[in-house]
């Protein structure tokens, strides 16, 4: 009962701090105090994220304020390291998204709301690997390859970010390391490449048959769907069907 009262007081304090115009206190309560792993109030993270999510969903002003503080326009330095590394509010919230706590779902939804519920913008700020759980549960995996809208670039990117954008790994959310040396594929013939590809298919098939791995594709509902054969993984890839028909 004492814990419930404490949570209720904290929730009302967060919401009242915004309603009373105390933006700095709002930011402190929502973002700063409870995003430290050593904070004794870390068990209240779900309460704070729940309050922030409620406010940002209902108030455009609150959403803009939180976006300005947590998701400012991206610069090249932001993608020089993993999205969950660093001391910015964005880095800290992404770490919560990857933590084994109930707060991770609220943190993910909070970030999605700040990204205007744009899948491409969410992936840009967090990386697909950190947001895949939310997208899968929401049936939005089918939108990961859609082109981003103009608004996603106008207010969330800087010129130096655009200069390195093509080098960013969308899965990890940061710059791909520069390759050193020659790729082994450059010295292989087409027959050798096909042979290695078939070896990989056979290895994956054995792992599937023994139950070690369970690959899947994106279903019509935008959620992961298990496949029964390894070739189902490539059946919807453009060009694959035409190549098989011509053989």
């Amino acid at each position: 009962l004492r814990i419930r009262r404490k949570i209720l007081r904290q929730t009302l304090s967060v919401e009242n701090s915004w309603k009373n115009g105390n933006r700095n206190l709002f930011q402190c309560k929502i973002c700063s105090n409870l995003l430290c792993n050593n904070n004794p109030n870390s068990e209240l993270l779900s309460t704070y994220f729940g309050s922030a999510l409620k406010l940002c969903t209902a108030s455009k002003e609150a959403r803009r304020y939180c976006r300005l503080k947590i998701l400012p326009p991206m610069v090249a330095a932001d993608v020089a390291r993993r999205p969950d590394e660093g001391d910015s509010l964005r880095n800290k919230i992404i770490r919560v998204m990857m933590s084994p706590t109930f707060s991770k779902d609220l943190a993910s939804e909070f970030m999605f709301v700040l990204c205007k519920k744009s899948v491409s913008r969410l992936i840009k700020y967090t990386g697909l690997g950190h947001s895949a759980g939310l997208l899968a549960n929401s049936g939005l995996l089918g939108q990961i390859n859609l082109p981003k809208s103009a608004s996603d670039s106008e207010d969330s990117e800087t010129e130096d970010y655009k200069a390195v954008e093509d080098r960013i790994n969308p899965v990890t959310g940061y710059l791909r390391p520069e390759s050193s040396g020659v790729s082994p594929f450059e010295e292989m013939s087409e027959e050798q490449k096909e042979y290695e590809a078939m070896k990989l298919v056979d290895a994956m098939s054995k792992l599937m048959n023994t139950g070690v791995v369970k690959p899947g594709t994106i279903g019509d509902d935008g959620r992961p769907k298990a496949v029964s054969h390894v070739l189902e993984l490539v059946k919807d890839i453009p060009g694959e069907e035409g190549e098989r028909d011509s053989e």
Side-chain angles (χ1 to χ4, degrees):
L1 181 61
R2 184 169 54 187
I3 295 177
R4 290 181 179 178
R5 288 176 178 174
K6 183 177 181 181
I7 291 176
L8 180 59
R9 287 197 302 269
Q10 294 286 355
T11 303
L12 293 175
S13 176
V14 170
E15 295 182 358
N16 288 335
S17 65
W18 176 265
K19 293 177 181 179
N20 295 333
N22 194 337
R23 306 294 189 260
N24 291 332
L25 180 60
F26 174 84
Q27 178 188 351
C28 180
K29 287 180 176 294
I30 292 292
C31 304
S32 301
N33 288 345
L34 296 183
L35 292 178
C36 177
N37 293 332
N38 298 324
N39 195 295
N41 291 323
S42 58
E43 70 274 7
L44 298 177
L45 266 176
S46 58
T47 301
Y48 279 78
F49 275 122
S51 299
L53 179 59
K54 178 181 176 182
L55 286 170
C56 290
T57 302
S59 170
K60 190 174 183 179
E61 183 185 10
R63 187 165 59 251
R64 285 180 174 176
Y65 177 82
C66 287
R67 187 185 305 126
L68 176 65
K69 295 296 182 180
I70 300 172
L71 301 178
M74 298 282 282
V75 297
D78 292 331
V79 292
R81 59 177 182 269
R82 290 165 51 101
D84 57 334
E85 294 179 352
D87 296 323
S88 70
L89 295 176
R90 177 178 70 98
N91 303 142
K92 293 177 179 180
I93 293 179
I94 292 175
R95 286 201 290 271
V96 175
M97 291 170 59
M98 302 305 295
S99 64
T101 63
F102 173 72
S103 303
K104 66 178 182 180
D105 296 327
L106 289 171
S108 300
E109 185 67 25
F110 177 56
M111 291 287 277
F112 193 39
V113 169
L114 294 189
C115 290
K116 303 179 181 180
K117 294 193 173 182
S118 167
V119 173
S120 60
R121 183 182 288 230
L122 179 67
I123 292 175
K124 176 171 63 178
Y125 276 105
T126 67
L128 177 59
H130 297 97
S131 57
L134 171 70
L135 299 178
N137 294 334
S138 304
L140 297 173
L141 283 176
Q143 300 183 24
I144 60 177
N145 292 321
L146 294 179
K148 63 181 181 180
S149 62
S151 61
D152 286 342
S153 301
E154 290 176 356
D155 58 352
S156 62
E157 298 175 359
T158 58
E159 291 300 324
D160 65 331
Y161 172 85
K162 293 179 180 179
V164 300
E165 185 177 10
D166 293 338
R167 294 167 45 205
I168 299 174
N169 186 328
V171 176
T172 61
Y174 69 106
L175 292 174
R176 296 183 177 92
E178 296 184 2
S179 59
S180 58
V182 181
S183 171
F185 294 106
E186 293 183 4
E187 299 179 356
M188 295 174 62
S189 64
E190 293 300 321
E191 291 76 12
Q192 288 176 312
K193 293 179 182 179
E194 184 175 355
Y195 173 74
E196 294 297 332
M198 292 308 301
K199 284 176 58 178
L200 179 60
V201 170
D202 290 338
M204 291 182 62
S205 182
K206 291 178 181 178
L207 292 174
M208 290 177 61
N209 294 336
T210 55
V212 176
V213 296
K214 192 175 182 180
T217 59
I218 301 175
D220 296 334
D221 59 353
R223 291 179 169 84
K225 179 183 68 174
V227 298
S228 57
H229 194 277
V230 67
L231 292 180
E232 293 184 51
L233 298 173
V234 297
K235 70 175 184 178
D236 294 326
I237 297 179
E240 290 290 330
E241 190 67 30
E243 291 178 5
R244 287 197 294 269
D245 291 343
S246 62
E247 292 178 354

